[in-house]
Amino acid sequence: MKKLTTILTLLILMIFISYLGWRSVEHEVLLRENNETLLAKSRINNINLLIESLLNQRLSYLSSLSSQIDNNHDEAEHLLEVETDIKNIFIINKNKILFLSDFNDSQWHKLVESIALDNSLILNLKDYDEQFQPNSGWYQNYDHLIYWFKVSDDIIGFELSTIKLTFDIINLLDNQSLDDNFKLINSDKQIYSNGKTFENEITESLKYPLQNWHLTYYYSSPNLVNLYILGIGGIVLFILVLFGFVFYGYREYTRTLRLAKQQVTFVGQVSHEFKTPLTNIALYSEMLSEYLEDEPAPIPDYLQIISAESKRLTRLIQNVLTFNKPNNLNIKPVNLTALLKQVYLTFKPILAAKSLQLNLINIENDCIVNTDADSVMQILNNFLSNAEKYASKGKQVDLSLCRSGKQVVITVRDYGEGVATHLLKQIFKPFYRVSSSITEGVSGTGIGLTIANQLAKQLQGEIKVVNQKPGIAFSLILME
């Protein structure tokens, strides 16, 4: 079930990463396409500005000519002869035509007469403020392109040659040597073409008076194949790296698990080999106790400790052989005060050999609790053994017993270097050993606190560990 859950989790993670990666690629594609469109609009606007600049040049030139022909019709005739840009000229005063070139062109004649009858045809062509009347402007009607000026009460109009204007625009675009791809069309007639045509295009109409002219700009789509290949390759590479890390972590986990199993097997085999010599030690210590029972103290006491400890060690080995399996508990009333004094007598010379002084402090009198004596003894022995191994610099170890409500708390506190706070939960894991200067050169399997924690839970109790200043305190909490 755990493997299936892990596989499903990895699959969902892979799909999620692929989705995010693909969305990123699509966003980049849209961004590049948008940039190409914006660039095309910018280029078409530049071409528009070129054509507008040509019209503005004509406007400035015609403005200078208007002052020359005011009240001088002969000058108007002269301009028609010398200026190829100017096709026709008219001068209107209010509703009267003062001058009109090319009377033979009936269409031109009718157009000027309509302007003379109603000046608003050109004056109100654009939306101006009611209080503002323009003095000049463009007027376009069919094939007639007129720029007019208002001088005093006269309106002077110049009809430009659309053919000449067209050629001027073509020459202007040719001289610019543009690299753009576009077409310029007047109604249905193509005026100018440059470059190639592509699948993408933008069409805009020129501003008045060339509103019938259309500029179509062509641009190619960005090369997105490489982007898709790069994006997909990045997604695949990221997923491969992720799976590489997962595979590495899984391999390390299985290697650690295999090593742990080997350690358990090794500890079990070694513990099994210890059973026979321990049985012999227990047997011969009992025989010595019978032979030397009349010897003066403390020889009988020492023999009694040897016998008790050999039996207890036999039981501990049996617990190691059944590691991770519930122990057979012998729950009965236990005098913890007497038990602690026995532990004190056992460990005092052991700690003294390491220059550590074992102190009994705050001991409750006749503290009796229903529990398993061997389990409590094993837990306390583990606490004191760790103090002996790792806290020899502290010079002393305190062993205390106190009541707190319905709880009985047995604490072993040393004055060594302690353990980093973030590692306090790790030390109860099987085969875990803190990597620091205090553990270097000290032998151990890393299962002592694991077994102690399991025993505490079986006793319906718990183990708490708290950093002190200095040292560390391990507490076994039992319920009365």
Side-chain angles (χ1 to χ4, degrees):
M1 187 63 183
K2 289 183 179 180
K3 289 185 178 179
L4 180 60
T5 303
T6 303
I7 293 173
L8 289 176
T9 302
L10 290 175
L11 182 62
I12 293 172
L13 182 61
M14 183 183 68
I15 294 173
F16 179 70
I17 293 173
S18 301
Y19 172 76
L20 289 181
W22 184 253
R23 292 293 295 173
S24 299
V25 172
E26 287 185 333
H27 178 268
E28 183 65 23
V29 168
L30 291 176
L31 185 62
R32 293 195 179 187
E33 290 179 343
N34 185 58
N35 288 339
E36 289 291 332
T37 302
L38 292 176
L39 179 61
K41 289 182 178 180
S42 173
R43 300 299 298 170
I44 199 173
N45 184 59
N46 291 338
I47 298 171
N48 268 325
L49 290 176
L50 283 174
I51 298 175
E52 287 180 16
S53 67
L54 182 63
L55 287 177
N56 290 332
Q57 291 176 8
R58 294 289 186 275
L59 182 153
S60 299
Y61 179 64
L62 293 175
S63 178
S64 64
L65 294 179
S66 63
S67 61
Q68 298 179 23
I69 64 173
D70 186 26
N71 297 322
N72 189 346
H73 298 174
D74 292 336
E75 183 65 24
E77 292 287 355
H78 176 71
L79 288 175
L80 286 172
E81 293 177 0
V82 298
E83 296 292 339
T84 57
D85 289 351
I86 301 175
K87 183 178 180 181
N88 285 302
I89 298 176
F90 70 80
I91 302 175
I92 298 174
N93 183 272
K94 295 183 180 179
N95 300 111
K96 183 179 179 181
I97 298 176
L98 301 181
F99 177 83
L100 178 63
S101 63
D102 196 4
F103 255 90
N104 296 326
D105 188 344
S106 59
Q107 187 178 13
W108 166 247
H109 192 190
K110 289 180 182 180
L111 175 62
V112 175
E113 283 183 342
S114 63
I115 295 173
L117 290 174
D118 185 6
N119 296 164
S120 64
L121 288 176
I122 59 175
L123 294 177
N124 299 328
L125 186 61
K126 294 185 179 180
D127 293 331
Y128 294 103
D129 188 91
E130 293 182 357
Q131 298 179 353
F132 173 78
Q133 289 295 330
N135 292 319
S136 62
W138 290 100
Y139 178 71
Q140 193 271 339
N141 184 279
Y142 297 105
D143 293 333
H144 300 283
L145 180 61
I146 300 171
Y147 196 82
W148 59 270
F149 299 90
K150 191 173 183 182
V151 182
S152 299
D153 291 333
D154 294 342
I155 298 176
I156 302 174
F158 298 92
E159 181 187 8
L160 299 184
S161 171
T162 54
I163 295 176
K164 179 64 168 57
L165 178 63
T166 300
F167 278 112
D168 288 343
I169 292 175
I170 292 173
N171 289 332
L172 174 66
L173 295 176
D174 281 337
N175 292 333
Q176 295 296 319
S177 300
L178 300 173
D179 294 331
D180 303 275
N181 307 291
F182 65 94
K183 288 182 179 179
L184 185 61
I185 299 174
N186 182 5
S187 298
D188 295 330
K189 299 177 182 178
Q190 180 174 302
I191 303 299
Y192 188 82
S193 177
N194 189 70
K196 302 177 181 179
T197 59
F198 294 98
E199 67 277 8
N200 299 319
E201 63 179 52
I202 299 176
T203 301
E204 288 189 4
S205 298
L206 300 186
K207 293 182 180 180
Y208 189 85
L210 302 180
Q211 70 277 9
N212 293 328
W213 293 41
H214 302 283
L215 183 61
T216 301
Y217 191 93
Y218 300 94
Y219 63 98
S220 61
S221 298
N223 188 2
L224 302 178
V225 175
N226 293 336
L227 180 61
Y228 278 114
I229 293 175
L230 183 62
I232 294 173
I235 295 172
V236 172
L237 179 62
F238 184 82
I239 291 176
L240 289 177
V241 171
L242 177 64
F243 272 94
F245 278 112
V246 172
F247 176 75
Y248 175 78
Y250 177 75
R251 188 180 66 177
E252 288 298 309
Y253 169 76
T254 54
R255 186 181 68 82
T256 304
L257 185 62
R258 184 172 62 253
L259 181 61
K261 290 181 178 179
Q262 290 174 353
Q263 289 175 330
V264 171
T265 302
F266 173 75
V267 171
Q269 291 174 347
V270 172
S271 300
H272 187 271
E273 294 298 323
F274 285 167
K275 290 180 68 177
T276 301
L278 280 173
T279 302
N280 293 333
I281 292 173
L283 176 61
Y284 284 105
S285 63
E286 290 178 0
M287 293 174 60
L288 280 174
S289 297
E290 293 178 0
Y291 284 114
L292 301 176
E293 61 180 354
D294 295 330
E295 292 292 324
I299 293 177
D301 297 332
Y302 289 164
L303 289 173
Q304 185 178 357
I305 291 175
I306 292 173
S307 178
E309 288 299 302
S310 61
K311 292 178 181 178
R312 190 176 65 82
L313 187 55
T314 302
R315 293 193 296 270
L316 293 180
I317 290 174
Q318 186 61 38
N319 290 339
V320 172
L321 291 174
T322 58
F323 180 55
N324 276 338
K325 296 180 181 179
N327 295 322
N328 295 323
L329 301 180
N330 182 20
I331 304 297
K332 63 181 181 179
V334 177
N335 189 332
L336 294 181
T337 304
L339 184 66
L340 255 65
K341 290 180 179 179
Q342 182 181 347
V343 171
Y344 171 77
L345 292 174
T346 302
F347 271 89
K348 185 176 181 179
I350 297 173
L351 294 177
K354 291 290 186 74
S355 300
L356 286 169
Q357 180 180 347
L358 181 59
N359 303 318
L360 274 176
I361 58 174
N362 300 327
I363 301 298
E364 293 280 344
N365 293 325
D366 294 329
C367 182
I368 299 176
V369 175
N370 284 326
T371 186
D372 180 66
D374 285 342
S375 297
V376 174
M377 182 80 77
Q378 184 174 349
I379 294 171
L380 297 180
N381 286 349
N382 179 266
F383 293 167
L384 290 167
S385 295
N386 287 339
E388 178 227 341
K389 291 179 182 178
Y390 309 119
S392 58
K393 293 182 180 180
K395 301 302 180 183
Q396 71 179 61
V397 177
D398 297 334
L399 179 61
S400 63
L401 169 64
C402 64
R403 285 188 175 92
S404 177
K406 293 185 179 181
Q407 294 180 338
V408 175
V409 182
I410 306 173
T411 302
V412 174
R413 187 258 171 103
D414 64 53
Y415 293 83
E417 296 183 9
V419 178
T421 303
H422 67 280
L423 298 177
L424 292 181
K425 291 184 179 180
Q426 304 291 329
I427 59 178
F428 291 99
K429 292 183 178 180
F431 307 106
Y432 179 84
R433 299 190 71 204
V434 177
S435 297
S436 68
S437 59
I438 63 174
T439 59
E440 292 180 1
V442 180
S443 61
T445 61
I447 63 172
L449 284 174
T450 305
I451 296 174
N453 195 39
Q454 291 176 352
L455 291 174
K457 290 179 180 179
Q458 292 175 27
L459 296 174
Q460 305 300 315
E462 62 176 324
I463 294 175
K464 285 190 176 181
V465 54
V466 180
N467 270 320
Q468 303 291 335
K469 294 182 180 180
I472 191 169
F474 287 89
S475 297
L476 171 62
I477 303 174
L478 300 173
M479 300 299 295
E480 282 193 292

